[in-house]
Amino acid sequence: MTGHDDHDHGRTFQPDHPEPTSDAALVGLALRELLIEGGHYTAEEELAVIAEMQGASPENGGKIVARAWTDPEYKKRLLINGKDSIKELGFDLEPYEFTVMENTDQVHNVIVCTLCSCYPRALLGMSPAWYKSRNYRSRVVREPRAVLSEFGVDLSDDVDVRVHDSTAELRYMVLPQRPAGTDNWSEDDLAALITRDSLIGTQRDLSTK
Amino acid sequence: MNASWGPHDIGGQMAGPIDLSEHDIAHWEWQIDAMVRLALEKGLISDFAELRDGIEQLSADDYDRLSYYERWAKSLAYTLLSKGAITEQELNGKIEAIRARQEAEGLR
Amino acid sequence: MSEPRFSVGQRVQIADRTPPVHHRVPSYAKGHVGVVERVCGMHANPELCIRGDGKPFQRIYRVRIPQTDLWAPYEGTDGDKLEIEIFEHWLELAQ
C-alpha cells in the first residue's frame, strides 16, 4: 500500500480511467471524500472492498455447475436449497436466498431484475452492462423469445421459457445443460466451459471447442 | 397493465434492441460501489432498500440520463442528506473544491 | 418464524395497490393470479426499511404466472411462465 497524505486520499484514478467530470459523478466523489475525511471509513477499507468485489467472477458459478453435473446428489441439494449447498463449495450469498433453475430439453430459464438489477455478484462477479440496461429489463419479461434471439438463442415452440424476475431477497443462477461428449471430463475442465451468459440464461448451448 | 409507479418500474415497457457491448467498470465506479457497501457496513444506511428508494426518487429524466453508478451516487447523497449525516453546505463545498482542482489540472 | 399462510400449488392473487413507499412489486404483475411455486424464507420487508408500516419480517413466495395472462398479445407459447418473488402481505387466495 502506498502512502496517502491527508489531502491525497482521493487520487487513486488509474490512467486509463480518467477522473469523471459529470455533475452526478462529482456528487459521488465529493461524498466519498467527505465520508473518508469524516472517519466513516478509510481508503484502506475501500481498497479491500474493491479487491473483494473484483475477485468474484463467473468462475465461481462455473464451479457450482460443474459439481452439479458430476454429482447427482449435490445437484438435488443445490436445486432444493441453493443457499446452503453453495457453502459446501466455500461460497456464501448471505443474507440472500440462492435459487438455481435447471435448463432441460423442455425448459429454458432466463433471469432479470426489472426494478433495479439484483444479481448474485459473489457468484457471478459484476453484472454485464446490458443486464442493467433499460432495454433488457423492460423487454425480457414481455418478449423473452425476441430478446433471447438477439443473444443468438432461438427457441423452438416445444421449449417453454421461464423468466425469473428477481424482485426481493432471492438471487438466481441458471444451471445450463451439460454438453454432449463430455462424459469423461474432469470437474475442472467442465467448469471451464461455463460462461457468464449461460448462468444468466441468455446463452443456452455451451461449446466444447 | 397498471401505470408505472416510478422511473425504475419499467418491466413490460417497449424499448429498442439490447446493446450487447461489454463495458469495463472505471475505478471511480468501483469506489462508488465500495462507498455504498461500506455505508451499509458502518450503519450509515440500514439496508440496500434505502439505496433503491433514493434511486426511485430521481426524476424520470435523471433516471434515464444518469449512468448506473451516477444514480448510486445521487441516491446515497440524498439519503445521507435527509438523515443529517452530512450537510448540504459540506457537500457543495467539497464539490466546488473538486471542480476547482479538476480545472487546475486541465481535466475540464 | 410464523407459519406460511400459503402452500405450494395454491392459486394466489397479487394485490393491485401502489403504496406511496418503496415496494418491490412491479406494476406489470399487480392484480394478476398465479400459483405458488415455492415457499421461501422470512425477510426484512423493504416497505418498512424505508418509512412504511407493516411487520419487519415477512414470508416470501415464488409465484408462477402464465405469460399469456400477463401480456396481450404475447409472442410465445402457453407453456411460457413468469416467476416472481412476492411478500406474503401482497398475496390473497385467488377466488
Side-chain angles (χ1 to χ4, degrees), chain C residues 33-47:
Chain C
V33 171
V35 168
V36 174
E37 185 268 343
R38 187 181 303 219
V39 179
C40 306
M42 306 281 289
H43 292 275
N45 174 4
E47 291 152 56

Side-chain angles (χ1 to χ4, degrees), chain B residues 4 10 15 26 28 34 36 38-40 48 55 58-59 64 71-73 78 87 91 103 108:
Chain B
S4 159
I10 57 175
W28 72 271
V36 168
L38 285 160
L40 181 68
F48 279 130
I55 291 171
L58 293 169
S59 69
D64 273 346
R71 286 182 215 150
W72 280 38
Y78 161 88
T87 66
L91 186 62
E103 270 164 20
R108 45 174 69 238

Side-chain angles (χ1 to χ4, degrees), chain A residues 29-49:
Chain A
L29 299 185
L31 193 55
R32 169 183 176 273
E33 290 192 18
L34 280 181
L35 294 183
I36 293 177
E37 285 170 8
H40 294 287
Y41 66 87
T42 65
E44 287 76 13
E45 287 177 302
E46 175 188 77
L47 287 174
V49 169

Side-chain angles (χ1 to χ4, degrees), chain A residues 127-209:
Chain A
S127 55
W130 53 259
Y131 185 86
K132 297 180 272 207
S133 71
R134 164 177 283 277
N135 292 6
Y136 181 76
R137 287 165 48 204
S138 39
R139 287 179 57 216
V140 76
V141 281
R142 186 183 196 123
E143 42 175 6
R145 288 170 185 267
V147 167
L148 286 171
S149 137
E150 287 176 30
F151 283 88
V153 178
D154 291 301
L155 296 174
S156 63
D157 282 354
D158 55 4
V159 178
D160 292 341
V161 181
R162 290 203 191 130
V163 182
H164 304 276
D165 192 353
S166 182
T167 45
E169 300 301 303
L170 276 61
R171 295 292 176 272
Y172 294 88
M173 190 177 88
V174 174
L175 177 59
Q177 288 181 285
R178 182 170 176 165
T182 58
D183 288 357
N184 300 317
W185 288 37
S186 72
E187 206 172 308
D188 284 350
D189 287 345
L190 288 169
L193 295 178
I194 292 145
T195 62
R196 177 195 70 200
D197 287 9
S198 72
L199 301 173
I200 306 174
T202 53
Q203 180 184 352
R204 182 164 170 82
D205 298 319
L206 291 167
S207 167
T208 53
K209 297 287 183 297

Side-chain angles (χ1 to χ4, degrees), chain A residues 49-156:
Chain A
V49 169
I50 292 175
E52 188 192 332
M53 292 191 292
Q54 291 180 337
S57 82
E59 284 179 29
N60 296 354
K63 286 178 189 159
I64 297 167
V65 169
R67 175 63 57 89
W69 282 349
T70 52
D71 181 345
E73 289 302 315
Y74 182 76
K75 181 170 128 181
K76 270 188 213 163
R77 293 198 294 279
L78 180 69
L79 294 176
I80 293 169
N81 183 342
K83 177 179 175 157
D84 290 341
S85 306
I86 57 171
K87 290 179 183 164
E88 297 176 35
L89 302 185
F91 300 117
D92 192 352
L93 210 58
E94 295 284 356
Y96 303 110
E97 295 191 29
F98 184 51
T99 315
V100 179
M101 293 297 170
E102 184 183 20
N103 280 354
T104 65
D105 288 344
Q106 289 80 40
V107 173
H108 182 80
N109 294 284
V110 62
I111 315 296
V112 63
C113 167
T114 60
L115 293 175
C116 45
S117 31
C118 298
Y119 191 77
R121 281 176 52 178
L123 303 178
L124 299 190
M126 197 57 96
S127 55
W130 53 259
Y131 185 86
K132 297 180 272 207
S133 71
R134 164 177 283 277
N135 292 6
Y136 181 76
R137 287 165 48 204
S138 39
R139 287 179 57 216
V140 76
V141 281
R142 186 183 196 123
E143 42 175 6
R145 288 170 185 267
V147 167
L148 286 171
S149 137
E150 287 176 30
F151 283 88
V153 178
D154 291 301
L155 296 174
S156 63

